[in-house]
Amino acid sequence: MSKPLLPEDSVLDLADYLAMQRAIGNETRFRILRTLARNGDLSATELRETLDVEANNLHYHLDELVDVGLVQNRKRSEPDRDGLYSYYRVSPLGETMLDHGVEELLRRGQRGFDRREKPR
C-alpha cells in the first residue's frame, strides 16, 4: 500500500499545492514573489516600478498569487504619506514555496550539481 501524499488532517489538498506550483512557475509571478520576500510590504506602484512591469499585467499576476495563497493583499484603513491604502506581502506559504522550491534549485545550481542528477 502506498503512503498518502498528504497527511489526513492537511488544510490544503493536492490541487491547492499544484496550483501554487503552477503560479510560481511563471517568471513574472516568481519575480513578484521574490521581490516581496526580499523587500517586505510593497504597493502595486512600488512593485511596478521595481520590476518594470505594465500595471495591468502586474495586477493580473498579483491576483493569481493572491488567489493561490502565496501573496496577501493588506488594506490599511488610513492612507500612508503617498496616499496608498493597499500593500502586498508574501504569505508564509509563499515564503516556504520560494525557499524550498525554485530558490533551492538556484542554490544547488550555484553549487554546481550535475544537471543529469535528479534534485532530492
Side-chain angles (χ1 to χ4, degrees), residues 5-20 22:
L5 289 174
L6 300 171
E8 196 173 300
D9 61 347
S10 178
V11 175
L12 302 174
D13 61 23
L14 181 59
D16 296 324
Y17 287 108
L18 293 174
M20 287 181 215
R22 278 190 302 277

Side-chain angles (χ1 to χ4, degrees), residues 103-113:
E103 296 245 331
E104 175 61 23
L105 289 173
L106 292 172
R107 284 190 292 274
R108 287 181 184 211
Q110 290 170 354
R111 291 191 304 254
F113 71 87

Side-chain angles (χ1 to χ4, degrees), residues 69-85:
L70 298 177
V71 167
Q72 298 168 334
N73 184 347
R74 298 288 188 202
K75 309 266 190 218
R76 295 184 177 169
S77 57
E78 297 290 326
D80 69 5
R81 61 183 166 75
D82 298 320
L84 299 170
Y85 285 94

Side-chain angles (χ1 to χ4, degrees), residues 27-111:
E27 183 178 348
T28 300
R29 290 191 288 269
F30 171 75
R31 289 176 55 223
I32 291 168
L33 194 63
R34 192 168 193 233
T35 299
L36 290 171
R38 290 185 169 192
N39 297 291
D41 294 9
L42 294 174
S43 69
T45 301
E46 292 167 325
L47 279 167
R48 184 178 49 77
E49 291 169 356
T50 301
L51 298 172
D52 192 30
V53 176
E54 296 282 332
N56 61 343
N57 193 24
L58 176 68
H59 283 286
Y60 168 78
H61 290 295
L62 280 169
D63 289 345
E64 291 286 318
L65 290 167
V66 169
D67 286 348
V68 297
L70 298 177
V71 167
Q72 298 168 334
N73 184 347
R74 298 288 188 202
K75 309 266 190 218
R76 295 184 177 169
S77 57
E78 297 290 326
D80 69 5
R81 61 183 166 75
D82 298 320
L84 299 170
Y85 285 94
S86 182
Y87 287 84
Y88 294 89
R89 72 169 43 153
V90 65
S91 72
L93 277 172
E95 288 179 17
T96 300
M97 288 290 288
L98 188 61
D99 192 46
H100 297 289
V102 178
E103 296 245 331
E104 175 61 23
L105 289 173
L106 292 172
R107 284 190 292 274
R108 287 181 184 211
Q110 290 170 354
R111 291 191 304 254

Side-chain angles (χ1 to χ4, degrees), residues 108 117-120:
R108 287 181 184 211
E117 176 185 324
K118 290 185 180 180
R120 296 175 209 180

